[in-house]
Each structure stands twice: as C-alpha cells, then as structure tokens.
Amino acid sequence: MTATASASAAPERELTDGFNLVIDALKLNGVETIYGVPGIPITDFGRMAQGAGIRVISFRHEQNAGNAASIAGYLTKKPGICLTVSAPGFLNGLTALAHATTNCFPMILISGSSEREIVDLQQGDYEEMDQLAIAKPLCKAAFRVLHAADIGIGLARAIRAAVSGRPGGVYLDLPAKLFGQVMDAEAGAKSLVKVIDAAPAQIPAPAAVKRALDVLKSAKRPLIILGKGAAYAQADDEIRAFVEKSGAPFLPMSMAKGLLSDLHPQCAGAARSTVLKDADVVVMLGARLNWLLSHGKGKQWGEPGSKKFIQVDIEPREMDSNIEIAAPVVGDMGSCVSALLAGMGAGWPAPPADWIKTVVSKRDENVSKMAPRLMNNTSPMDYHGALGRLRTIIKERPDAILVNEGANTLDLARGIIDLYKPRKRIDVGTWGVMGIGMGYCIAAAIETKKPVLAVVGDSAFGFSGMEVETICRYNLPVCVVVFNNGGIYRGTDVNPCGGADPATTVFVKDSRYDKMMEAFGGVGVNATTPDELSRAVNAAMDSGRPTLVNAVIDPKAGTESGRIGNLNPQSVVKKK
Ligand code: OXT
Ligand code: ADP
Ligand code: MG
C-alpha cells in the first residue's frame, strides 16, 4: 500500500510507512492470520491488516491469543503470529511465548512498545517497559526494529529463528514511532525479504544412521516412542513406514497420539508401564526424556543400564540431556527417518515373537479391563462414563481436533479417547499448563477448518473461558465440554478451619458454564448423564454451532493432581 506526496517543485513520489511495510512483509511471507488484542500503539495496524486481507482475530486476553498463535505454528509448521500492545499486553502474551518455546512451537510475538529514548532513561512513558530485555530469556530469539527500512530484515530474521532447527517462540519489538515512519515506497518494497527455505532440511550423518541401525538390530525388545516433534514434522508417511518396517511396538506421547492410529496393531499406548520397563532398545522420535518420561531413569525404566537409547532430534544439545544416548541421530525428522528406512533395506528382522506377545497381551488386558467402565450411564457422571461417549464421537469423526486440559479430565481423556490421524490431539504440553483451551480451539478451527471438540476441566476452562465470546463472534465450529466436578481435582474439599470461606480447591456448587455460551448467542446444554452428553455433543458437531456443554461430574470422582499425584508434595506436619 502506498500514498503519494509532492513537494512544491519536486516530482510526485510514492510513500509508504511502517504500518504498511509490516503488513506488506507479513503478506509477502504468506502470513494469513494474526491473533491478538488491539490497543495503543497497534490499533490502526490491526485495522489496516484486516483491510489488506489478513485475517485478524481479536481476543479478550493476550495469553489466549498467544496460545492460539503457538498452536497455529504447531499445526502448520509456519510461525503463528500474535500481536499485542505494549507492557501489560506484552506481558500477557509472554506466558504464551515462553510456552511456545518450551514446547518447540514456532511463534512470533509482535508487540508494540514505547519510545526507546524515554524507556531507556526511565522517564515514565505510557506503558513503559524494556520489553526486549524481558522477552530475551524467555524465547528463542528477540529482535527490535528501529527503522522502517529494516522491517523486512527484522521479520525475515524472526521467521527463520522461529521455524529453523528446533522451533520456538520469537519476540519482535516494534516501537510506536516505527509505525509512523515514512519512506519512499519503492525503496520500502525493495527492503522487504521473502524468506526462502525457512526451515532447511538437516540431513543426518551416514555414520550416525548406521550406528543407530546397528543398535536397533541388536534389540530383543525394541520400543519406539513418538513425541510431538515427530507429529510436528509432518513426515507422517516416512514415520509410519519406519515403525511398520521395524515391527517394534510404539508408544505415543500425548500429542503424538494418532500419528499412527491408536488402534494400530503395534500401538503400545495401553501397555505403557510394560514397554517402558522391559524394552532393551528405545528409539525416541521427536520426544524428550523430560519429566513426562521420568528423565529416562528410575523404577519406571526397569533395571538401571538395562536399555540403550537411539534418539532422533533436530537439536544436537538434546542428546545426553538426562541419560547417555547410545546412538544420537541429529537432523530433521523427515530426513532422519528416511535415512533410517533406506539403511534398513529389505528383509529387516522382525522383533522376537515373545516380546510382541507380551506387549499385546498386556495391552489387550488393560483395554478389556477399561471397556465396561466406559459404558456406564450413571448420574452424576463419572469420568469414564462421560469420556466413553466422547471416545465414540471422535471415532465417528476422526478428522475433528481434540483439545484437552485439566487434571483428571486430561489424564483420563488421554487414555480413553483414541485418535486416528496425526495432529488431532492438542493439550497442555510440556508444562502441563492450564489455560491453553479456548485459544487452541480458536486457532485449531481457523487453521484446520475442521470441527473442534474441547474436553476441559472446570478449573482449566476458567483460565480462558471468556474467549467463548470470541468463539461466538467468529462463529467457529467449536464444542466445549466442561467437566464440571465443582473444583480443582475434586469438588469435595472443605476449609480445614470450618470457616465461611470455601476450601482452596472448590468452586461454586452446581454452576452452569453452559449459560456463558448462551450469553453470547451460542448453544448451551446442561448434561447430567452420558446419554445426554452424547446427544448434545453430536448435535454440536453436526451443526457446527458454537456450543458449551456443562457436563455434571460427580465431585468425588477425581483424584488429587490426576495421574501425577507423585509430583504433589504433601506436608506430614499438618497443624490444626
Ligand atoms: O501400563 P499401565 O498399567 O501403567 O497403564 C497405563 C496405560 O497403559 C493405560 N492406558 C490404557 N488402558 C486401557 N485402554 C487404553 N486405551 C489405555 N491407554 C493407556 O493407562 C495407564 C495410564 O496411561 P498414561 O496416562 O499414558 O500413563 P501415565 O502413567 O499417566 O503417564 C505419565 C505421564 C506423566 C506421561 C502422564 O501422566 C502425563 O502426560 N501427564 C500430564 C499431566 C499434566 O500435565 N497435568 C496437568 C497439570 S496438573 C496441575 O498442575 C494442575 N493445576 C495447576 C496449574 C497449572 N497446571 N497451570 C497453571 C497455569 N496454573 C495452575 C490446576 C489448576 S491441574 C489444574 C486444574 C485441575 O482441575 P480441573 O477442574 O481442570 O480438572 P479435574 O481434575 O478434572 O477437576
Ligand atoms: P513430547 O512432549 O511429545 O515428548 P517434546 O516436546 O518433549 O515431545 O519433544 C519434541 C522434540 O522434537 C524436541 O526435542 C524438538 O527438538 C524435536 N523436534 C521438533 N521438530 C523437529 C523436527 N522437525 N525434526 C526433528 N526433531 C524435531
Ligand atoms: Mg474440576
């Protein structure tokens, strides 16, 4: 976009400014959507971006916009863009930026900021804050653009930093003054950069591939762990071919569920303890040996030294982060898995039959133990009865995106709801963070154009619940099921002093979250039995109308911290 200016004698020349250059740079690099909250100094920018054909989704809180941008990055392999105002808006978005970095999701937080001259002298500007300095330790890279002529380079650097190598969050600081800077339009256009090959292939070394295959060939009890890095890579066919050729059982981490169907004959999701303890060679594909895998040590992993690890990851420094990696394979997932496949050649030996038999019989035992619990129709509902119905709904609609947060609501849904296709399950991720829910729903609906089913605890929902208005405003095909057990983990705690204040973990009894959706023109349903729940969710998924189902769950049904109670310290010196 350009304007013209004429000095009295000089010939007319076209002008552009910072606003237009940022928009042009984003469009040049294929950015279609911005998630944000308007205000000083980016209100007009948002308006102009919308006018220029970028979809600008306005949220009620920046953290939710940031979470939306981060998961947009995960789902598309392109950096999700979040736009915030200075200081408080920036800080609200920062949690999401740090979350993106921790989870290896590509995202760019673009924030307006106050005047450098005033900020640096700490003279008290409007929303004064040294945002760049604050963002730096919390993201993969941080940049500031001071001159309009550098906007193109600034955005190019941000895009490359976000998606190349291990993806992550990038901060781009745009001071208010930059937006108004005027420059010659032709020079401005020339200053923009179209990023070529933003995430170049990283080919693994042949020696590393051979070493890994030697270790794998020696295995008597191989296991493949699939992580969200493998799902992110969109190397679905190569990964499937590798897993199937190896014949090894695979264990999907939470967001890798569905990369290969949970019903695949090699899936060991329902035999988790057995495979972790007894495997002798473990292939990690885009998964880290962090807390979610007990750092690769301890009782869960059987005898110390009883297994060798092959780790495929784009980040060399991930190797040996917790335990020794016998065969590191560094490169992008697609290239690494293709190289492994090629090296396996024809006639790769199947794992010993007794190992497969052990895994399959443990899996089948756990699945049949759970089956009857999923069919109950009791009221108030327990988690199994409710989740059993949602499991059927996802089975019938395998293209839907499942968003999941909470404690019991998370842990039980992870085990009960099977996934059939890659990148269909998005959840609390590496931090176990509450509040991703509605932001993820909005971005998932927008980026994938598929129906979204959110299964969220009543506490979890509270962190982003106001975004139901956003869901209604944009008329998104999102069905939110709030598992309402009246509290965090359970709804039964009492104040130890017996005073008037409620216990710290409980909420208002018999609350009706469905009314929130109704308040903004969506559909609200109160469901007290699994049958009612099933009817309401099916109707929502059929109609595509924004819907919130208040699923009344027995307040006694959950356990403290869900399945991670072991991480929840309990005092042994409780005073009266
Ligand atoms: O093999 P074994 O026999 O062991 O069996 C395993 C599987 O084989 C088997 N399985 C199956 N059986 C049959 N069929 C099938 N299909 C099947 N699939 C699996 O089941 C068992 C268990 O399998 P699983 O789940 O795979 O294994 P396990 O051992 O659990 O795995 C370990 C982990 C660590 C990988 C796993 O547990 C995991 O991924 N956990 C993630 C946990 C997590 O991130 N939790 C969220 C954080 S909790 C807490 O922090 C909360 N807060 C604090 C807070 C947070 N987080 N954030 C912020 C910003 N502020 C505060 C809060 C406030 S949670 C929370 C709110 C909670 O209240 P809500 O109301 O929202 O929710 P409710 O609890 O519902 O009330
Ligand atoms: P999970 O929680 O599912 O175990 P993590 O987030 O812990 O997964 O691990 C993801 C890993 O995947 C990170 O170590 C990251 O470096 C890696 N990764 C991300 N993208 C790629 C890619 N394209 N190729 C290879 N590894 C990747
Ligand atoms: Mg709850």
Side-chain angles (χ1 to χ4, degrees):
M1 268 175 288
T2 53
T4 55
S6 54
S8 49
E12 224 176 49
R13 61 193 179 99
E14 288 207 20
L15 295 180
T16 187
D17 64 7
F19 285 106
N20 286 293
L21 285 167
V22 177
I23 292 166
D24 292 346
L26 289 168
K27 287 187 76 172
L28 183 66
N29 284 288
V31 170
E32 290 168 5
T33 310
I34 294 174
Y35 301 92
V37 176
I40 297 169
I42 45 96
T43 318
D44 215 28
F45 174 78
R47 239 179 239 133
M48 289 172 67
Q50 189 174 45
I54 295 179
R55 196 157 188 210
V56 183
I57 307 294
S58 280
F59 282 69
R60 306 299 294 254
H61 190 286
E62 291 87 352
Q63 190 177 119
N64 306 319
N67 284 328
S70 76
I71 209 67
Y74 170 76
L75 291 169
T76 63
K77 288 186 92 178
K78 294 196 287 188
I81 308 287
C82 176
L83 179 67
T84 67
V85 305
S86 35
F90 155 78
L91 286 174
N92 286 344
L94 201 52
T95 307
L97 184 70
H99 166 76
T101 307
T102 299
N103 282 276
C104 315
F105 299 158
M107 164 186 172
I108 302 175
L109 174 65
I110 300 181
S111 185
S113 60
S114 317
E115 298 318 327
R116 291 290 343 135
E117 296 83 347
I118 305 179
V119 173
D120 288 348
L121 279 172
Q122 298 171 33
Q123 293 173 312
D125 200 5
Y126 169 72
E127 296 190 346
E128 173 180 302
M129 178 171 281
D130 189 356
Q131 296 173 194
L132 187 73
I134 289 165
K136 254 183 198 160
L138 295 172
C139 60
K140 194 178 166 194
F143 306 101
R144 176 186 293 130
V145 183
L146 291 175
H147 303 295
D150 292 333
I151 286 171
I153 290 292
L155 186 70
R157 300 213 72 189
I159 291 172
R160 280 197 189 280
V163 295
S164 61
R166 171 182 276 176
V170 174
Y171 177 59
L172 188 61
D173 191 271
L174 304 183
K177 256 192 204 165
L178 176 81
F179 289 105
Q181 276 182 32
V182 172
M183 70 181 284
D184 178 73
E186 201 183 318
K190 277 197 188 132
S191 72
L192 301 183
V193 177
K194 185 169 165 56
V195 176
I196 310 293
D197 197 12
Q202 290 184 220
I203 314 290
V209 172
K210 180 173 180 315
R211 190 188 300 119
L213 289 175
D214 288 347
V215 174
L216 184 58
K217 207 165 215 170
S218 73
K220 300 213 162 29
R221 296 179 304 282
L223 169 68
I224 296 171
I225 297 183
L226 303 172
K228 60 180 172 302
Y232 168 80
Q234 298 192 15
D236 308 337
D237 293 344
E238 294 89 333
I239 290 171
R240 164 187 290 277
F242 171 72
V243 171
E244 290 181 347
K245 194 169 210 174
S246 77
F250 70 87
L251 180 65
M253 299 300 288
S254 188
M255 281 177 53
K257 274 170 75 81
L259 180 45
L260 274 82
S261 163
D262 281 330
L263 300 186
H264 190 284
Q266 287 166 253
C267 183
R272 188 173 196 272
S273 298
T274 301
V275 289
L276 290 182
K277 185 161 73 54
D278 294 340
D280 64 349
V281 169
V282 181
V283 186
M284 312 276 303
L285 296 185
R288 287 172 284 187
L289 284 164
N290 56 14
W291 71 279
L292 290 154
L293 285 167
S294 317
H295 308 279
K297 317 181 253 223
K299 224 169 65 197
Q300 185 177 45
W301 288 92
E303 285 300 308
S306 63
K307 38 186 80 40
K308 287 185 175 162
F309 285 87
I310 300 166
Q311 184 158 21
V312 179
D313 204 290
I314 201 157
E315 173 55 63
R317 288 177 304 173
E318 188 55 39
M319 307 299 161
D320 307 324
S321 59
N322 285 273
I323 49 153
E324 180 186 281
I325 301 299
V329 183
V330 174
D332 72 275
M333 192 58 57
S335 301
C336 290
V337 173
S338 300
L340 288 167
L341 259 175
M344 287 162 101
W348 184 263
D354 59 340
W355 170 235
I356 302 299
K357 206 171 136 208
T358 306
V359 176
V360 168
S361 66
K362 183 65 200 174
R363 180 189 71 192
D364 293 351
E365 183 191 319
N366 272 350
V367 169
S368 29
K369 234 192 276 170
M370 193 158 71
R373 301 187 65 188
L374 303 179
M375 286 155 63
N376 81 64
N377 196 35
T378 53
S379 177
M381 291 184 270
D382 65 16
Y383 287 92
H384 285 82
L387 288 167
R389 302 308 162 98
L390 300 181
R391 164 187 159 114
T392 305
I393 288 170
I394 290 290
K395 187 170 188 180
E396 289 164 357
R397 303 166 199 269
D399 283 319
I401 309 278
L402 177 67
V403 176
N404 191 199
E405 63 178 339
N408 295 283
T409 306
L410 173 88
D411 289 338
L412 291 165
R414 185 179 58 248
I416 292 170
I417 302 181
D418 290 325
L419 278 298
Y420 306 90
K421 295 189 176 184
R423 295 171 294 284
K424 298 296 184 193
R425 183 190 155 86
I426 47 183
D427 66 27
V428 298
T430 305
W431 265 347
V433 66
M434 299 301 110
I436 48 87
M438 297 308 106
Y440 276 19
C441 285
I442 291 165
I446 286 172
E447 301 291 341
T448 69
K449 310 209 167 25
K450 302 285 185 216
V452 177
L453 174 62
V455 180
V456 298
D458 49 347
S459 164
F461 174 69
F463 288 74
S464 67
M466 193 63 212
E467 302 297 347
V468 295
E469 188 275 334
T470 312
I471 292 170
C472 288
R473 190 165 13 112
Y474 291 94
N475 194 24
L476 297 172
V478 173
C479 174
V480 182
V481 179
V482 175
F483 272 46
N484 185 356
N485 65 349
I488 298 176
Y489 314 132
R490 290 163 73 86
T492 51
D493 255 7
V494 287
N495 179 340
C497 295
D501 282 355
T504 56
T505 57
V506 302
F507 300 139
V508 169
K509 265 197 184 331
D510 304 322
S511 45
R512 292 286 301 275
Y513 293 96
D514 48 312
K515 300 284 179 197
M516 285 177 68
M517 194 61 107
E518 283 178 359
F520 302 109
V523 178
V525 182
N526 189 48
T528 56
T529 67
D531 282 350
E532 279 175 19
L533 172 65
S534 181
R535 270 197 299 277
V537 176
N538 270 315
M541 303 296 273
D542 286 341
S543 72
R545 286 190 63 193
T547 301
L548 194 151
V549 183
N550 183 59
V552 182
I553 303 286
D554 185 347
K556 300 186 294 298
T559 58
E560 175 120 345
S561 301
R563 283 192 57 87
I564 55 170
N566 56 315
L567 300 178
N568 187 31
Q570 302 272 322
S571 169
V572 287
V573 218
K574 290 216 164 91
K575 301 208 171 129
K576 280 254 165 200

